[in-house]
């Protein structure tokens, strides 16, 4: 009809129509128009107006951004992997925990905590994610830290991963369920400068799952790191003295772990701290994500793995050769690591060697076991003071061998 006529003026045709003047016309509201004569630019670099497109109208640029899951720089933020059991006790010794990528650090003169993989998790209705496990810190021996004392859990981000994060805006998010209400603290710390950013968060209701999310810009004084280096540390403070207090949400020039007025999670054996769905994402938002279990196992094994735990009766785990009457070597392979790992062995009494009767004999008395020549994704397991025929084949195995 006449109301749908659009007139084109001043155009040339050479292999196509090239408009040199705006097109004007009238499109009824029913056809997606405004009902009025409206100039339209046909510059090829400008998208058409929504009124021209009717039902095909587009959204603005922000709404057109693809919905996607951000990368979580915390490996196994769902706490699915353990090594050496699902629960262990920690006191005044710095060590990796049964949650293989979480390190317990303490310079305190007391206080004991059981760290475990726990089945208490936020519901799907709360978090929009189904988790099976959380990280639990249970105070079993109380302690009030002196001014210069601390206890905390730490996650280390390797250098090449931190290269994507330093000097950029990131968002930390986690669910927490603590017995003690009040102020708690999480920290990010630069490994090269030692500078710390302390974030305080509040447990409003005792023993209730609550979420903390915070956006910050990581240290601008850092630079890219090598794969073998530690780039960034994420810390959950259990307890700390006043020497390690600072102002929240600012970069401090050295290691700081808390703020004035924060709670002491070590002052009662009734105290628990649970953490779940831990994420650190690039940008102003954090949507929790976790890779498939198979992928997470591979990721964890790049840093730490357990070799042949709890062998069954008479099982042969490794084989090698005696090079004397009292010593033998067995080469052991492990999965590629970011660096040559430290090897941790269980007690010598938990190792054994195959005996002539087809069974196994445990190492005893002065028998020794040691890891040697850690390189090229392997190490040598040496039995010492064990009476074996020179040149004979030898087979053995451990209760626990871990490399990290």
């Amino acid at each position: 009809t006449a109301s749908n006529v659009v007139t084109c003026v001043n155009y040339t045709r050479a292999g196509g129509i090239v408009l040199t003047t705006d097109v004007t016309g009238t499109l009824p509201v029913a056809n997606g128009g405004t009902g009025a004569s409206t100039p339209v630019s046909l510059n090829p670099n400008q998208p058409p107006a929504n009124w021209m497109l009717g039902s095909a109208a587009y959204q603005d640029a922000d709404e057109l951004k693809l919905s996607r899951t951000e990368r979580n720089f915390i490996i196994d933020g769902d706490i699915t992997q353990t090594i050496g059991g699902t629960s262990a006790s920690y006191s005044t010794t710095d060590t990796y925990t049964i949650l293989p990528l979480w390190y317990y650090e303490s310079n305190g003169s007391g206080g004991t905590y059981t760290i475990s993989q726990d089945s208490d998790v936020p519901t799907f209705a709360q978090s929009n994610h189904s988790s099976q496990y959380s990280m639990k810190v249970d105070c079993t021996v109380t302690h009030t830290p002196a001014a210069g004392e601390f206890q905390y859990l730490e996650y280390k981000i390797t250098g090449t991963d931190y290269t994507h994060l330093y000097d950029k805006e990131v968002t930390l998010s986690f669910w927490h369920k603590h017995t003690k209400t009040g102020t708690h603290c999480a920290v990010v710390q630069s490994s090269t400068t030692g500078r710390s950013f302390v974030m305080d968060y509040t447990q409003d209701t005792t023993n209730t799952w609550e979420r903390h999310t915070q956006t910050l810009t990581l240290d601008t004084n850092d630079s890219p790191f090598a794969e073998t280096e530690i780039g960034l540390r994420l810390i959950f403070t259990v307890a700390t003295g006043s020497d390690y207090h600072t102002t929240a949400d600012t970069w401090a020039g050295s290691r700081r772990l808390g703020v004035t007025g924060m709670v002491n999670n070590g002052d009662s054996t009734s105290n628990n701290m649970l953490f779940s769905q831990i994420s650190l994402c690039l940008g102003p938002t954090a949507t929790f994500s976790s890779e498939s279990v198979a992928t997470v196992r591979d990721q964890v094994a790049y840093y730490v793995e357990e070799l042949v735990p709890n062998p069954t009766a008479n099982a042969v785990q490794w084989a090698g050769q005696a090079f004397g009457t009292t010593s033998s070597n067995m080469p052991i392979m492990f999965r590629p690591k970011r660096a040559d790992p430290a090897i941790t062995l269980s007690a010598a009494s938990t190792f054994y060697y195959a005996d002539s009767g087809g069974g196994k004999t445990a190492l005893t008395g002065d028998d020794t076991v040691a890891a040697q020549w850690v390189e090229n994704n392997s190490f040598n397991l040496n039995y010492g003071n064990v009476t074996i025929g020179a040149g004979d084949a030898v087979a053995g195995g451990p209760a626990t061998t871990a490399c990290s």
Side-chain angles (χ1 to χ4, degrees):
T1 66
S3 62
N4 289 335
V5 171
V6 176
T7 303
C8 300
V9 295
N10 295 333
Y11 66 87
T12 61
R13 182 172 183 174
I17 295 176
V18 179
L19 295 169
T20 59
T21 303
D22 285 343
V23 174
T24 61
T26 302
L27 286 178
V29 175
N31 289 358
T34 63
S37 179
T38 307
V40 181
S41 169
L42 292 184
N43 184 320
N45 293 321
Q46 175 157 345
N50 269 359
W51 68 265
M52 298 173 59
L53 300 176
S55 62
Y58 58 87
Q59 297 172 313
D60 61 42
D62 287 338
E63 292 173 334
L64 281 173
K65 291 178 181 178
L66 293 178
S67 175
R68 63 187 178 89
T69 299
E70 298 291 345
R71 175 185 174 184
N72 184 1
F73 283 83
I74 304 299
I75 296 172
D76 197 23
D78 236 357
I79 319 296
T80 64
Q81 303 301 300
T82 62
I83 280 186
T86 59
S87 177
S89 181
Y90 304 89
S91 184
T92 57
T93 301
D94 298 348
T95 181
Y96 277 99
T97 71
I98 53 98
L99 305 175
L101 299 182
W102 288 92
Y103 190 79
Y104 173 81
E105 188 157 344
S106 170
N107 71 348
S109 58
T112 302
Y113 302 90
T114 296
I115 298 174
S116 61
Q117 180 193 60
D118 199 86
S119 59
D120 187 347
V121 295
T123 66
F124 180 83
Q126 289 175 305
S127 67
N128 202 36
H129 178 83
S130 294
S131 293
Q132 288 184 287
Y133 303 109
S134 62
M135 175 171 64
K136 182 178 181 179
V137 182
D138 176 18
C139 177
T140 57
V141 177
T142 63
H143 179 68
T144 298
E149 293 184 336
F150 54 73
Q151 291 86 30
Y152 60 79
L153 280 169
E154 176 183 80
Y155 178 95
K156 302 172 183 178
I157 295 178
T158 194
T160 49
D161 279 350
Y162 186 49
T163 298
H164 300 287
L165 300 174
Y166 83 96
D167 196 19
K168 293 181 177 65
E169 183 181 60
V170 299
T171 300
L172 172 68
S173 176
F174 58 91
W175 285 83
H176 55 90
K177 180 179 179 178
H178 304 335
T179 302
K180 296 210 70 168
T181 58
T183 301
H184 299 256
C185 288
V187 185
V188 289
Q189 180 184 9
S190 163
S191 291
T192 51
T193 66
R195 285 158 51 87
S196 303
F197 190 96
V198 175
M199 297 162 279
D200 58 349
Y201 65 95
T202 302
Q203 181 74 40
D204 291 316
T205 305
T206 184
N207 295 325
T208 300
W209 282 110
E210 299 169 358
R211 188 187 184 200
H212 179 74
T213 300
Q214 184 156 349
T215 299
L216 67 148
T217 299
L218 292 180
D219 200 349
T220 59
N221 296 332
D222 277 335
S223 57
F225 293 82
E227 177 66 3
T228 56
E229 296 177 309
I230 298 169
L232 187 73
R233 303 167 192 267
L234 170 63
I235 293 168
F236 290 128
T237 303
V238 177
T240 187
S242 59
D243 286 356
Y244 292 95
H245 288 174
T246 188
T247 302
D249 303 333
T250 60
W251 281 98
S254 58
R255 176 164 60 175
R256 291 294 181 265
L257 302 168
V259 297
T260 300
M262 69 176 293
V263 304
N264 171 21
N265 288 287
D267 66 2
S268 170
T269 55
S270 298
N271 291 346
N272 294 317
M273 303 177 73
L274 284 84
F275 300 90
S276 184
Q277 299 177 21
I278 306 164
S279 68
L280 183 68
C281 297
L282 188 62
T285 60
T287 301
F288 180 77
S289 65
S290 184
E291 303 282 358
S292 68
V293 170
T295 299
V296 170
R297 286 175 178 168
D298 286 342
Q299 291 173 326
V300 171
Y302 184 61
Y303 298 92
V304 59
E305 69 178 299
E306 186 177 30
L307 303 174
V308 197
N310 303 318
T312 58
N314 301 326
V316 172
Q317 310 299 335
W318 304 311
Q321 187 175 35
F323 61 86
T325 58
T326 60
S327 187
S328 63
N329 287 335
M330 287 176 282
I332 299 174
M333 302 295 295
F334 53 81
R335 300 177 72 172
K337 300 285 180 290
R338 71 179 186 94
D340 289 339
I343 307 297
T344 302
L345 305 175
S346 55
S349 59
T350 65
F351 286 78
Y352 66 90
Y353 61 91
D355 58 35
S356 58
K360 65 178 184 179
T361 300
L363 273 61
T364 59
D366 294 330
D367 298 343
T368 62
V369 60
Q372 304 171 325
W373 313 325
V374 183
E375 58 185 357
N376 298 323
N377 303 325
S378 68
F379 68 94
N380 180 69
L381 184 67
N382 174 257
Y383 285 178
N385 299 324
V386 180
T387 303
I388 304 173
D392 285 353
V394 62
T400 301
T401 303
C403 52
S404 63

